[in-house]
Amino acid sequence: MGDTLEFNEIYHESKGSWNDGRLRFSKQNVVYKSSKTGKVDNIPAAELSVATWRRVCLGHGIKLATSSGHVYKYDGFRDTDYERISEFFKANYKVELTEKDMCVKGWNWGTAKFSGPLLSFDVNDSSVFEIPLASVSQCATGKNEVTLEFHQNDDSEVSLMEVRFYVPPGPADEGADPVEAFAQNVRSKADVIQATGDAVCVFKELQCLTPRGRYDILIYPAFLHLHGKTFDYKIPYTTVLRLFLLPSKDQRQMFFVISLDPPIKQGQTRYHFLILHFSKEEELKLTLNMSEEEVEKRYEGKLSKNMSGSLYEMVSRVMKALVNRKITVPGNFQGNTPGAQCITCSYKAQSGLLYPLERGFIYVHKPPVHLRFEEISSVNFARGTTTTRSFDFEVETKQGNQFTFSSIEREEYGKLFDFVNAKKLHIKNRGFKEIKAKNNEYSDSDDDQHDAYLERMKAEGKIREEGDGSNDSDEETDESFNPGEESDVAEEYDSNASESDSGSGGDGSGDEGKKKPAKKAKVVKEKRERKPRKGKKQKDTNAPKRPMSSYMLWLNSSRERIKSENPGISITEISKKAGEMWKQIGKEDKEEWDGKAEEAKKTYEKAMKEYRESGGGSSTPAKKESKKEDKKRKSGGGEKEKEQGGNDSFKSREFISSEESSSDGERKKAKKAKKAKGTPQSRDKESEEEEGEAMTTPPSSEEDSD
C-alpha cells in the first residue's frame, strides 16, 4: 500500500449545502481542500481518535473525531473504498474504522446526546440525525420546549430554519430545570454571539464602503462587532475566509477587505465582503484592554499592550492576530501608472480597481469580486465597445460564470497580458489581429475588426439598389406626361371617344357625352392589362417525339435483364443499379449506343421538318414572319401619322390602319374632285357628309381583336 490515499469529488456539508473537494490521507495528516471556497482542513494524524464508516445519502461517508473534540464528516465514497481505507487507518493511524448504521425508523422521540460539538438524536442507540452546534445561531427556551435557530447559507436551495425539542419534566426531587440544562449545553458549544466582558480594543468612526457608512468596530476575543447608527453586526471570526490589504492607485489611501462566509445581511441585501477605507496620513495610538502578561501569553508577541502607527496598520495587525489568518497584498504586478499595483476599470456600470494578485484577481469596490486562478477556465481580451482607446478583460470561470471588466486603458494591455501569460492562464484570443502584444498598441482604424452592424447596413443598401433598378426596368413609364410622344393609353382613349360620338349621332349633346365614355374606356384598358395568365399549351399528339439519349436507349434495352438478375428490385434501385452498370460499360459499347442516339436524332429532325411544312404545330416559321410584319406595319402607321400631323383633325391609329377604310379613301378623293368643280354650297354639303361618314365608320375586326 502507498504512503497516501487520494479521493476526488468528496463532499463536505457546510450549513446545509454540499461542497465538493479533494481528500488526501497521508501518514502525517488528513487534508481536505474545498473546490468552492479553497478552505483547507488539516487534521494531524496524532489527534485522530475515532473513525466511523456510515451509509449516507451520497453513498458512504467517514466521520472523524479528534482528541481536541472536533468532528469532521466527509461523504461520497464508494462501497469498495472501505477495505483500502480501513487497512490504511490500521497501518498508519492505529485507529479502527468501525461501521455504524443510521436509524431509519422515523420516530420523533428518543434521546438527545451531547458529544463535543455535536448534538445527536438517538433511537435505541442508533443515531437518527446530528446537529453541528456551531451552526446554531440562537437558542430560545419556553415551557418544556427548546428552539434552535440556524445560520443560513445562500448557496443552499433548501435551508433548515429551526428545530424545536420537547423536553419532558424531570423527577420532582431534582432541583435543576431540564429545559435550562438542555439550553445551557447548546449554548456552550453553539455559535451564539454574546457580548460578554469588555472589548479588547475599540476603533471609533471608521469609514466603511461595504456596507456604506461610519461604524465603530469593537474587537472581542471571539467576534467582531460593527456598531453603526442604524445597524449592528456581530461577525464571528470563524466566518472570516480571507483578509486583503490593498493600496489605492493614488498611493494615498488603503483598502482593508474582509471576506465573509456566510455574509452579513442588511434587510434583503447580503454582503460577502466588508471593505474599510483608510487614509495613509491617519495616525493612532492604541492601548489593549488587557495586561501585558495576558497579551504576551495569548498572542505570542503578535500584539503588544501599547501600539502606535498608521490607522490601517493597527486595524490589520489586530485582525491578523485575532482571526489568525494571513493578510493578502498585491504581488509583483505594476501597472502603467508608476507605483500603481492595480488597473482602473468598470464592472456593471460602476468604476473601480482591479488588483492582480499572486493567486487571483480582486475587484473593489462595488460590487466586490474575488476570482481565484483555480476556478478560472479562460480569459479573453476584447476590443472596447465604444472606442479603440480601451479594451475589455473577460474572465470565465469553470462554473460557466463570466465577469467582464471594461474600459481598461490600452496602455495597460501589455502589463496585464504578460501577467496573465506568466500565470499560465488560458487566453482565448491569443494571436488575434485586434490586440497586438508586441507593439502594445491598438490600431485606430476599424478595418481589422468585423463590424456586424456595418456589414448588415451595406447588404441592405445593396438589396435596395438592386430593387430600385429592377423596378425601373420592369415597370412601364407614364407616357401620358410626354406631349411629343404617342402612348397606348391616348390611342385607346381617342378610339373610344370616336365611338361615343357616333353613338350620340352628332345631336350636339356637348362635351359631357364625350367625357363619360372616355372614362369607361380607361377602365376597360386596366381590365385588359390584368387578364389572368393563360394556361399551359397542350402538346400536339401528332408531333414527332424527341429522340432519347444513348443512356436511355441502353436502359430501355437492359431494363428486363436487370429485373431478371435482381428479383424484387424497386424502381429507384433499378435506376441506381443501371447507373453503376453504365459506368462500367466499355468505350466501344458506349460509342455504339452514341451512334444509335445520333441516328434517332437525325430521324427526329427530318420528321419535324415534314411536320412543320404540312402546317402542324402552333408556331411555324411562316406564321411568325406574318406576325412580325403586322407589328411593323402597325407601328409604322402610327409614326407616319405623327409625322404628317398638320392642322387636320386628329385621327387614331386604328382608323388609319383599318383595311376596310381603303375603299372609303378612294371615295373621298372622288368627292374632293367634284367639290373643286361644284358650287360653294355643294362643297360645304359634301364636306359635312364626308365628316359624317368618317365618324360612323366602325373599326375593323382586326383592330377589335387587338
Side-chain angles (χ1 to χ4, degrees):
M1 180 177 290
D3 294 339
T4 60
L5 285 178
E6 291 189 5
F7 299 92
N8 295 323
E9 295 185 4
I10 300 300
Y11 295 88
H12 173 62
E13 188 268 333
S14 175
K15 296 183 178 66
S17 67
W18 293 101
N19 299 328
D20 65 325
R22 189 174 183 180
L23 181 65
R24 183 182 65 193
F25 297 108
S26 64
K27 291 183 178 180
Q28 295 79 19
N29 53 13
V30 177
V31 179
Y32 177 80
K33 185 174 183 180
S34 174
S35 300
K36 181 189 175 187
T37 61
K39 188 177 179 181
V40 178
D41 293 338
N42 194 339
I43 309 170
E47 294 185 5
L48 284 177
S49 59
V50 178
T52 307
W53 179 268
R54 305 182 301 175
R55 173 103 182 167
V56 291
C57 60
L58 296 176
H60 292 79
I62 290 180
K63 176 184 174 183
L64 302 177
T66 62
S67 56
S68 59
H70 293 87
V71 177
Y72 303 89
K73 293 186 287 185
Y74 304 106
D75 297 347
F77 296 95
R78 292 175 295 183
D79 192 12
T80 55
D81 297 333
Y82 172 74
E83 295 182 1
R84 295 169 55 201
I85 299 174
S86 178
E87 293 176 3
F88 188 88
F89 275 37
K90 286 180 182 178
N92 297 284
Y93 302 152
K94 309 301 180 186
V95 175
E96 183 75 22
L97 184 63
T98 59
E99 288 188 77
K100 188 173 182 181
D101 295 332
M102 303 291 290
C103 180
V104 293
K105 289 185 177 180
W107 293 0
N108 65 339
W109 66 91
T111 306
K113 295 181 179 179
F114 293 91
S115 58
L118 290 179
L119 166 60
S120 177
F121 188 78
D122 297 347
V123 175
N124 296 335
D125 294 332
S126 295
S127 179
V128 178
F129 62 86
E130 293 176 343
I131 297 176
L133 296 177
S135 300
V136 178
S137 62
Q138 188 66 35
C139 178
T141 59
K143 185 179 180 181
N144 299 332
E145 192 175 82
V146 178
T147 303
L148 306 183
E149 297 180 7
F150 302 97
H151 293 291
Q152 299 304 305
N153 190 352
D154 293 338
D155 298 328
S156 178
E157 295 181 0
V158 180
S159 297
L160 178 63
M161 301 297 294
E162 65 178 28
V163 174
R164 294 184 181 182
F165 291 95
Y166 175 78
V167 182
D173 55 349
E174 293 185 6
D177 186 5
V179 174
E180 193 60 34
F182 188 98
Q184 192 60 36
N185 286 330
V186 172
R187 292 193 186 103
S188 63
K189 298 294 182 180
D191 191 14
V192 179
I193 300 174
Q194 296 177 350
T196 57
D198 297 331
V200 176
C201 61
V202 179
F203 298 99
K204 293 284 188 180
E205 298 257 332
L206 294 185
Q207 183 181 358
C208 191
L209 299 180
T210 305
R212 188 176 180 86
R214 292 272 181 176
Y215 289 87
D216 294 339
I217 297 182
L218 289 77
I219 304 295
Y220 287 90
F223 65 93
L224 180 71
H225 183 194
L226 268 72
H227 176 69
K229 293 181 180 179
T230 310
F231 296 96
D232 272 7
Y233 301 98
K234 293 179 180 179
I235 305 171
Y237 296 140
T238 55
T239 64
V240 177
L241 289 179
R242 292 177 182 84
L243 302 174
F244 301 90
L245 186 61
L246 308 171
S248 182
K249 196 170 185 178
D250 58 5
Q251 301 297 314
R252 298 172 60 185
Q253 300 173 2
M254 299 292 292
F255 299 103
F256 187 68
V257 184
I258 304 173
S259 177
L260 303 175
D261 185 27
I264 59 177
K265 300 177 184 179
Q266 192 177 92
Q268 296 296 324
T269 307
R270 291 172 172 82
Y271 297 99
H272 291 268
F273 294 88
L274 179 66
I275 303 179
L276 301 175
H277 188 215
F278 301 98
S279 174
K280 282 189 174 182
E281 299 176 355
E282 293 184 70
E283 299 287 334
L284 178 69
K285 291 183 179 180
L286 183 65
T287 301
L288 300 183
N289 191 17
M290 302 171 69
S291 63
E292 291 186 1
E293 294 79 9
E294 192 176 357
V295 171
E296 183 66 27
K297 181 181 179 181
R298 181 174 293 185
Y299 302 112
E300 299 176 354
K302 297 178 182 178
L303 298 176
S304 59
K305 181 176 177 60
N306 297 308
M307 297 181 292
S308 63
S310 299
L311 179 58
Y312 74 90
E313 290 181 354
M314 294 295 100
V315 174
S316 58
R317 187 175 174 183
V318 170
M319 289 295 297
K320 180 181 178 181
L322 271 72
V323 178
N324 197 21
R325 293 194 180 276
K326 294 188 295 183
I327 296 178
T328 304
V329 297
N332 300 324
F333 177 81
Q334 292 292 329
N336 186 60
T337 305
Q341 295 179 290
C342 57
I343 296 171
T344 304
C345 61
S346 297
Y347 177 67
K348 289 187 176 180
Q350 294 288 338
S351 180
L353 299 173
L354 179 66
Y355 290 85
L357 308 175
E358 289 300 316
R359 296 184 180 179
F361 296 99
I362 187 170
Y363 172 82
V364 292
H365 72 95
K366 193 175 182 180
V369 177
H370 180 228
L371 299 169
R372 294 179 294 114
F373 292 155
E374 298 174 0
E375 59 182 351
I376 295 175
S377 63
S378 63
V379 298
N380 181 38
F381 293 89
R383 183 185 289 271
T385 55
T386 57
T387 176
T388 57
R389 296 184 181 276
S390 64
F391 68 96
D392 297 348
F393 182 60
E394 300 172 352
V395 181
E396 187 173 347
T397 63
K398 294 177 181 178
Q399 287 79 19
N401 300 323
Q402 185 167 344
F403 301 86
T404 303
F405 304 98
S406 58
S407 302
I408 304 175
E409 295 179 358
R410 64 177 180 179
E411 288 79 9
E412 303 281 3
Y413 169 73
K415 305 278 187 180
L416 185 58
F417 183 88
D418 294 340
F419 175 82
V420 171
N421 201 26
K423 296 300 179 183
K424 297 181 180 180
L425 296 177
H426 174 61
I427 303 174
K428 274 187 177 181
N429 58 344
R430 184 189 297 271
F432 274 24
K433 285 184 180 180
E434 59 181 14
I435 298 176
K436 302 174 183 178
K438 292 183 179 179
N439 300 330
N440 191 20
E441 290 181 356
Y442 274 66
S443 174
D444 284 335
S445 94
D446 293 331
D447 294 339
D448 3 351
Q449 187 187 19
H450 175 74
D451 194 337
Y453 179 77
L454 181 60
E455 294 296 329
R456 191 179 69 191
M457 291 297 103
K458 286 181 179 179
E460 289 181 0
K462 189 175 180 182
I463 293 171
R464 194 180 297 112
E465 288 177 3
E466 292 176 355
D468 294 343
S470 62
N471 291 339
D472 293 342
S473 59
D474 296 340
E475 292 181 359
E476 296 179 359
T477 57
D478 194 354
E479 295 179 356
S480 61
F481 287 92
N482 298 328
E485 296 182 6
E486 192 177 46
S487 65
D488 294 340
V489 177
E491 292 166 3
E492 194 72 30
Y493 180 91
D494 293 336
S495 63
N496 284 285
S498 63
E499 292 177 8
S500 66
D501 290 343
S502 63
S504 63
D507 55 354
S509 59
D511 296 336
E512 295 179 0
K514 295 181 181 178
K515 288 181 181 177
K516 291 181 180 177
K519 290 181 180 177
K520 291 181 180 178
K522 196 167 186 180
V523 174
V524 171
K525 175 66 178 177
E526 291 178 358
K527 288 182 178 178
R528 286 180 182 175
E529 287 180 350
R530 295 177 184 175
K531 280 185 178 180
R533 188 177 294 177
K534 293 182 180 180
K536 195 174 181 181
K537 292 183 179 180
Q538 294 183 355
K539 291 185 178 180
D540 191 354
T541 55
N542 298 324
K545 293 184 179 180
R546 290 183 178 275
M548 289 188 289
S549 63
S550 56
Y551 169 73
M552 292 304 298
L553 290 171
W554 171 83
L555 179 60
N556 288 340
S557 63
S558 307
R559 192 184 302 275
E560 296 300 328
R561 178 166 58 87
I562 295 173
K563 287 182 180 180
S564 61
E565 292 177 357
N566 303 278
I569 191 171
S570 63
I571 297 174
T572 54
E573 291 175 351
I574 290 174
S575 302
K576 187 176 180 181
K577 185 71 176 177
E580 295 175 357
M581 295 173 64
W582 176 254
K583 290 179 182 178
Q584 298 174 0
I585 291 178
K587 186 177 180 181
E588 295 180 357
D589 294 339
K590 283 188 178 180
E591 288 178 354
E592 179 183 350
W593 288 104
D594 290 341
K596 292 181 180 180
E598 190 66 29
E599 291 177 4
K601 185 178 180 182
K602 291 179 181 179
T603 305
Y604 168 76
E605 290 176 352
K606 184 178 179 182
M608 197 66 187
K609 186 177 180 182
E610 294 176 356
Y611 173 71
R612 286 175 178 170
E613 289 177 355
S614 63
S618 59
S619 58
T620 59
K623 285 191 175 183
K624 285 182 179 179
E625 291 296 330
S626 63
K627 284 186 177 181
K628 287 181 181 179
E629 289 177 0
D630 291 343
K631 287 183 179 179
K632 286 180 181 179
R633 186 171 64 251
K634 289 178 183 179
S635 60
E639 290 174 0
K640 286 178 183 177
E641 184 182 3
K642 182 181 174 183
E643 291 173 1
Q644 290 173 0
N647 296 324
D648 297 338
S649 61
F650 178 78
K651 296 180 181 179
S652 64
R653 189 171 61 183
E654 290 89 343
F655 181 79
I656 294 169
S657 61
S658 174
E659 294 177 359
E660 294 181 2
S661 64
S662 59
S663 59
D664 296 337
E666 292 176 359
R667 282 190 295 169
K668 289 174 185 176
K669 288 180 182 179
K671 287 183 179 180
K672 283 182 181 180
K674 287 182 180 180
K675 272 196 288 182
K677 295 178 182 179
T679 61
Q681 291 84 0
S682 62
R683 273 182 271 176
D684 294 338
K685 189 175 181 181
E686 287 172 358
S687 62
E688 289 176 1
E689 292 174 359
E690 184 178 344
E691 288 177 3
E693 289 174 357
M695 296 297 290
T696 56
T697 303
S700 62
S701 59
E702 184 177 350
E703 289 168 352
D704 290 337
S705 62
D706 290 337

